Amino acid sequence: MTDAAAITVACIDLAGTTVADGDAVETAFAEAIATLGIVSGTAASERAVARFRDARGESKIGIFRSLFDEPRAQAAHLAFERSYDQFVDRRGLFPVPGADHVLKHLRASGVRVCLLTGFGRSTQARVLDTLGWWDRADLTLSPEDVRRDRPWPDLVLTAALHLGVDDVRQIAVCGATAPAILSGRRAGASITVGVLTGPHSRDRLRTAGATHVLPSIADLPALLLPAPADATPAPDHG
């Protein structure tokens, strides 16, 4: 443990952080906007995809709302969820190597885990069902559970309230996107860990306020948990 306050809650993202991202999310996005007549390869498609990549970590419905009026945003979001479900049906979902062990290890060590996402609640449930991960977390939250989306701090602060955190400095946040990191910093988390298994670069994560950047979530327990007396401190890979 590298900070003065012992970590009691870890707020950890799904896609790109604990769930191998691949091209599932971006493919579902491209298929969703195609239902609105925005064809791949056009200037309009390239602008929409650029916005999507930049905003990864924000809620999907929020990204669609930044691109379209409300009726079309809702239609695109529904198409996105349908496309993502079909992708899961065809290819399945796989955890980032070591992620399942990390979630179990943190909870066994007394750290409560909240799994966060930019997916809607139904897609989050599909991910957890597919991986059999409902018992890997003490709490799961989606953008539908808060008033404001990331990068605002509401998701992390809602986790703190539900899990009875005494001091926000006892929270660690781990994510693969800039909005996830910025949300943790704004919530007062003492540790905000960026991982390099998702869409945003080391520099982007650092700029957002990551206190540490790690190759993957597999390295997280060494940072958050007390080290054995004869062990050397975990390095900051960033």
Side-chain angles (χ1 to χ4, degrees):
M1 182 58 222
T2 59
D3 287 70
I7 297 300
T8 62
V9 167
C11 293
I12 301 174
D13 252 20
L14 285 176
T17 303
T18 54
V19 181
D21 204 10
D23 61 351
V25 178
E26 189 162 318
T27 297
F29 177 82
E31 292 179 353
I33 62 174
T35 66
L36 301 182
I38 301 176
V39 181
S40 178
T42 63
S45 175
E46 290 175 2
R47 286 194 299 270
V49 170
R51 162 63 183 150
F52 175 76
R53 289 172 177 166
D54 184 65
R56 283 292 300 271
E58 298 178 20
S59 72
K60 304 305 177 285
I61 184 61
I63 296 173
F64 287 123
R65 283 173 173 150
S66 74
L67 294 168
F68 310 114
D69 60 30
E70 184 65 18
R72 293 202 300 163
Q74 290 289 348
H77 188 240
L78 183 62
F80 171 87
E81 292 188 322
R82 186 181 301 117
S83 178
Y84 190 84
D85 280 351
Q86 292 170 351
F87 187 98
V88 173
D89 288 339
R90 293 192 306 268
R91 302 192 195 178
L93 284 177
F94 304 94
V96 169
D100 188 54
H101 171 74
V102 166
L103 297 177
K104 291 188 287 187
H105 183 36
L106 289 176
R107 295 188 72 213
S109 301
V111 176
R112 287 160 293 171
V113 171
C114 177
L115 289 175
L116 305 178
T117 187
F119 290 137
R121 189 180 294 119
S122 63
T123 302
Q124 181 186 45
R126 179 65 192 276
V127 171
L128 297 174
D129 283 339
T130 301
L131 295 175
W133 271 8
W134 285 106
D135 63 350
R136 298 297 189 268
D138 299 275
L139 180 67
T140 62
L141 292 174
S142 79
E144 295 169 49
D145 297 308
V146 294
R147 183 174 179 180
R148 297 181 301 177
D149 186 17
R150 293 184 293 196
W152 300 108
D154 298 33
L155 275 172
V156 177
L157 293 177
T158 298
L161 289 170
H162 279 284
L163 296 174
V165 172
D166 295 327
D167 187 326
V168 291
R169 292 173 296 177
Q170 296 172 346
I171 301 171
V173 171
C174 181
T177 65
I181 296 301
L182 183 53
S183 176
R185 296 299 290 171
R186 288 175 168 176
S190 63
I191 296 179
T192 49
V193 181
V195 293
L196 298 176
T197 49
H200 288 166
S201 68
R202 179 188 304 274
D203 287 346
R204 181 82 188 276
L205 296 169
R206 281 293 194 187
T207 299
T211 59
H212 303 76
V213 178
L214 303 176
S216 83
I217 194 173
D219 302 290
L220 188 63
L223 178 66
L224 301 188
L225 300 177
D230 58 348
T232 56
D236 173 6
H237 298 273

